[in-house]
Amino acid sequence: MRNGNWVEESSVRQRLDKASKEATASGKALANFMLAHISDLPFETARSVADKVGVSELTVGRFCRSIGYEGFKDLKDRLKDDISDSPWLLGDRLKDLQQKSATEPALARSLELAVASVVRVYDYAQTEAWDRAARRIAGADRVFVAGFQTERGLAEAFAHMLRYLRDEVTLVDVAGGNFAEVLLTNPAGCTLVLVDARRYSHQSKLLATKAAERGIPITIVTDLYCDWAGSYGDEVFAVPTDLNLFWDATSGMWTLLQLLLNSVFSHCGPAVEERLHDVASLYESFVGYSRSLK
């Protein structure tokens, strides 16, 4: 039995991606889990997925039916085309590294997952949402960048590099206790870039909620498990962070932010080159490089 609202989505991956933005909280959690482990799904059961996500086996079945499949088994059967089209390790150097990692299966798996994470980032860079975000970040009167806990480093680095391209870039500081610099600004002239990953900061969701209520456009860079980002972000770029390591790795999120900076640069216009030179000259004056700019 098919749900007509999902028939137009031609692949399992597309349907899961849509569900990760539009489904219920449990549905988003299941969609994000399946997207993050899509190559392993053929080896999972409805019960094993339910246990890993923290829902009931019945919920897994209902979710599969809600996106147009008869159940989890039907979803797996239709997954074959997705997996056969997915990017694998390419190039001699990557193949060589994979072979050298053969004695360390965990390391080889981590390498595959890291490459897949980067591929997903570059897929995002070809979307309408990406271009919209880059244009807005380049042209807004003010850009606010926020990240808390371990993601603060990513947000701080992004804000620092963005200042090379344009002025009026503010790294949001929780020390003020009220985020007035963001929430009392004219929403028509500003935008917010929010970076967060598990375990999500209370401040991130609260800031996103309040900013969205005030009509401030928000670009959210997060992982595949965030079930609230789609409710507030004008653009949500969800990057795989489970690279088979002890901790979730946010390296893919930083790759995305760097690529986003590149797109912002392309939308800044010719004046950006003069600004880059001026900022570099100031840096040379106050801090200095190991080799002079001259």
Side-chain angles (χ1 to χ4, degrees), residues 15-60:
R15 297 187 191 198
L16 291 174
D17 188 62
K18 182 177 179 182
S20 70
K21 302 177 182 67
E22 300 178 4
T24 62
S26 61
K28 288 176 181 177
L30 283 165
N32 287 325
F33 174 84
M34 291 182 186
L35 283 168
H37 303 87
I38 198 159
S39 61
D40 295 325
L41 287 184
F43 310 104
E44 299 279 5
T45 65
R47 179 178 291 279
S48 67
V49 169
D51 290 342
K52 291 174 181 177
V53 179
V55 297
S56 70
E57 190 174 349
L58 288 174
T59 299
V60 175

Side-chain angles (χ1 to χ4, degrees), residues 166-216:
R166 52 156 300 151
D167 59 5
E168 296 297 336
V169 177
T170 301
L171 180 66
V172 179
D173 192 350
V174 71
N178 54 28
F179 298 125
E181 69 273 30
V182 182
L183 301 177
L184 298 185
T185 300
N186 179 6
C190 70
T191 191
L192 170 64
V193 178
L194 184 61
V195 185
D196 200 11
R198 294 189 300 179
R199 297 171 64 189
Y200 312 102
S201 302
H202 171 71
Q203 292 94 338
S204 293
K205 185 176 181 180
L206 184 58
L207 177 58
T209 303
K210 297 296 184 183
E213 287 175 357
R214 286 160 175 75
I216 296 174

Side-chain angles (χ1 to χ4, degrees), residues 21-190:
K21 302 177 182 67
E22 300 178 4
T24 62
S26 61
K28 288 176 181 177
L30 283 165
N32 287 325
F33 174 84
M34 291 182 186
L35 283 168
H37 303 87
I38 198 159
S39 61
D40 295 325
L41 287 184
F43 310 104
E44 299 279 5
T45 65
R47 179 178 291 279
S48 67
V49 169
D51 290 342
K52 291 174 181 177
V53 179
V55 297
S56 70
E57 190 174 349
L58 288 174
T59 299
V60 175
R62 280 197 299 269
F63 169 72
C64 293
R65 288 190 292 276
S66 75
I67 61 172
Y69 300 106
E70 294 176 2
F72 185 62
K73 184 178 183 301
D74 185 30
L75 182 148
K76 290 198 299 180
D77 288 343
R78 294 172 183 274
L79 188 58
K80 294 173 184 175
D81 291 338
D82 275 30
I83 293 179
S84 65
D85 291 337
S86 64
W88 296 104
L89 300 177
L90 302 174
D92 293 339
R93 293 181 66 187
L94 285 174
K95 288 179 180 178
D96 182 58
L97 181 55
Q98 187 183 36
Q99 289 170 359
K100 290 178 180 177
S101 302
T103 55
E104 293 286 344
L107 184 61
R109 179 60 178 154
S110 179
L111 177 60
E112 284 191 5
L113 291 170
V115 172
S117 177
V118 172
V119 169
R120 185 181 177 99
V121 167
Y122 276 79
D123 282 343
Y124 275 134
Q126 302 176 66
T127 62
E128 222 176 273
W130 182 278
D131 186 64
R132 182 174 64 243
R135 286 179 183 277
R136 191 170 63 244
I137 293 168
D141 295 336
R142 297 188 67 184
V143 179
F144 298 100
V145 184
F148 309 100
Q149 299 185 121
T150 53
E151 290 72 48
R152 179 174 174 80
L154 295 174
E156 189 170 5
F158 179 77
H160 176 76
M161 296 180 73
L162 186 59
R163 291 190 187 107
Y164 275 79
L165 305 182
R166 52 156 300 151
D167 59 5
E168 296 297 336
V169 177
T170 301
L171 180 66
V172 179
D173 192 350
V174 71
N178 54 28
F179 298 125
E181 69 273 30
V182 182
L183 301 177
L184 298 185
T185 300
N186 179 6
C190 70

Side-chain angles (χ1 to χ4, degrees), residues 218-220 228-236:
I218 309 172
T219 300
I220 300 179
W228 52 262
S231 300
Y232 307 108
D234 291 75
E235 302 88 26
V236 177

Side-chain angles (χ1 to χ4, degrees), residues 117 121 151 154 194-197 221-223 237-241 249-258:
S117 177
V121 167
E151 290 72 48
L154 295 174
L194 184 61
V195 185
D196 200 11
V221 179
T222 186
D223 59 23
F237 302 121
V239 182
T241 55
T250 55
S251 53
M253 294 170 68
W254 177 237
T255 298
L256 186 145
L257 290 168
Q258 286 182 302

